[in-house]
Amino acid sequence: MQTLTLNSGVQMPALGLGVFQTPPQETRAAVTTALELGYRHIDTAAAYGNEREVGEAIRDSKVPRHDIFIETKIWISDYGYDATLHGFDKSAAKLGVDQIDLLILHQALPSDFDRTVAAYRALEKLLADGRVRAIGVSNFMADHLTALLDATSVVPAVNQVEIHPYFQQRAVLDFDDQHGILNQAWSPIGGITFYPGYGEDRKSVLEDPAVTRIAEAHGKSPAQVLLRWGLQHGRSVIPKSTRHERIAENLDVFDFELTADELAALDALETGRRGGPEPETVTLAAYGRAIPEA
Ligand code: NDP
């Protein structure tokens, strides 16, 4: 497994299994399958409601805990210094671990940024105390990162944002690169482009002719091409699947290489259309919901 070095020196497997929208009752099987196939990085979140099942699969596996990179996210309802420290306790207890490898803030709260900063200060405290090995953010745009860097001391190790060929967020990727923040792609195979909520005119990036042409040229699948595109751009990718054959397929991406022309053809697919919520509009009133204690 290829690894990436975070700005703190911690090594992170470049490819992980995402479990957003994986129902709790299917999570254990998906994570077990992934670990058996060779995945060593799982991306979950307090808000996904499946940290417990992720932890169970990890404990039941034959893979030593220290060989598995666990990433999870604090939900906005648990922002604020003390609330975020408690959010860590809840996630660690559900995962059944003492230490989390990478803990990130799930979203900025632009209209309540002091609370976001307080949450990040709690992550800094958890890092200083060795409760987490690295800290970071998700869905932070350049303005949010600028404000965060001004108010805190530890540069986030990771910014996890929507990245697929139809929406590449070049401004935030450039900002991350300039500050030593690793880009991590959510929806790396464009999952959000075929969620029902994407709109009636949705078209899956997996079916884009440029993607299928490159896939055919390499004897690989469209999903494998998109993961390769992310990896060759130096990003971390965390594809989600609950199906054995796809979990295997998504890991089988380390035996081929896209050419510079192929990378450029995929880069050219930008549509400017965001699939996820507009980060500037995320508020507690609109998106807040309690994260259960257990
Ligand atoms: P992905 O790009 O990973 O796509 C997942 C979708 O693609 C699912 O519908 C899956 O279905 C399908 N799929 C998986 N593998 C293949 C394949 N080889 N060929 C064809 N279809 C395939 O999108 P996600 O939005 O799930 O993002 C991945 C992860 O990123 C999440 O699980 C989560 O960990 C993270 N994320 C983070 C967000 C954030 O705000 N920080 C927001 C959204 C996601 P099936 O399961 O049936 O195989």
Side-chain angles (χ1 to χ4, degrees):
M1 169 62 75
Q2 181 185 324
T3 59
L4 294 164
T5 305
L6 304 182
N7 59 14
S8 57
V10 167
Q11 297 281 315
M12 180 177 80
L15 187 148
L17 179 77
V19 295
F20 176 44
Q21 295 182 320
T22 301
Q25 62 277 16
E26 294 176 43
T27 301
R28 199 166 162 166
V31 174
T32 298
T33 298
L35 293 174
E36 284 173 2
L37 288 166
Y39 284 73
R40 292 294 179 266
H41 175 179
I42 311 294
D43 177 69
T44 182
Y48 298 170
N50 56 17
E51 287 175 310
R52 182 175 307 287
E53 291 74 15
V54 168
E56 286 169 358
I58 287 173
R59 272 195 306 287
D60 289 353
S61 79
K62 297 192 176 65
V63 184
R65 162 69 188 97
H66 63 259
D67 286 344
I68 303 172
F69 192 94
I70 303 178
E71 175 173 2
T72 194
K73 315 180 189 79
I74 300 280
W75 187 238
I76 53 173
S77 307
D78 283 338
Y79 283 9
Y81 189 78
D82 290 334
T84 298
L85 291 178
H86 186 57
F88 164 84
D89 289 338
K90 287 193 282 187
S91 287
K94 289 175 193 164
L95 288 161
V97 298
D98 297 327
Q99 189 189 48
I100 289 171
D101 297 284
L102 174 59
L103 185 63
I104 65 180
L105 298 185
H106 207 140
Q107 300 273 350
L109 279 177
S111 58
D112 200 354
F113 206 72
D114 288 350
R115 198 193 288 249
T116 310
V117 168
Y120 194 79
R121 291 212 176 105
L123 298 194
E124 291 181 321
K125 167 76 172 147
L126 291 163
L127 182 67
D129 290 350
R131 308 302 308 277
V132 300
R133 296 174 64 224
I135 61 175
V137 295
S138 175
N139 300 308
F140 274 51
M141 302 294 100
D143 287 355
H144 310 141
L145 287 166
T146 300
L148 187 77
L149 293 176
D150 281 351
T152 59
S153 351
V154 178
V155 176
V158 161
N159 189 15
Q160 183 184 119
V161 296
E162 178 183 350
I163 314 172
H164 47 76
Y166 285 173
F167 193 61
Q168 300 176 36
Q169 311 223 53
R170 294 213 178 91
V172 73
L173 300 193
D174 288 348
F175 187 98
D176 289 346
D177 289 345
Q178 283 159 18
H179 293 83
I181 302 168
L182 182 79
N183 294 308
Q184 186 173 54
W186 67 252
S187 272
I189 61 169
I192 197 150
T193 67
F194 46 94
Y195 292 175
Y198 197 67
E200 285 309 308
D201 59 338
R202 66 184 179 273
K203 186 181 82 167
S204 164
V205 67
L206 292 174
E207 291 163 15
D208 191 286
V211 177
T212 54
R213 178 177 49 76
I214 294 169
E216 278 166 28
H218 288 275
K220 287 286 187 177
S221 72
Q224 289 171 323
V225 165
L226 296 185
L227 294 170
R228 199 64 225 166
W229 172 75
L231 291 168
Q232 285 185 226
H233 275 307
R235 298 173 199 138
S236 167
V237 291
I238 44 170
K240 172 265 178 187
S241 182
T242 52
R243 305 194 203 180
H244 188 290
E245 69 280 10
R246 288 179 173 177
I247 296 173
E249 177 184 321
N250 294 344
L251 185 65
D252 183 19
V253 295
F254 296 102
D255 62 350
F256 74 112
E257 193 144 352
L258 302 178
T259 65
D261 284 350
E262 289 168 339
L263 291 175
L266 297 172
D267 291 346
L269 297 180
E270 173 71 50
T271 66
R273 179 172 174 181
R274 183 188 292 284
E278 171 56 50
E280 196 56 31
T281 67
V282 171
T283 59
L284 270 175
Y287 291 95
R289 63 191 168 83
I291 300 299
E293 287 295 324

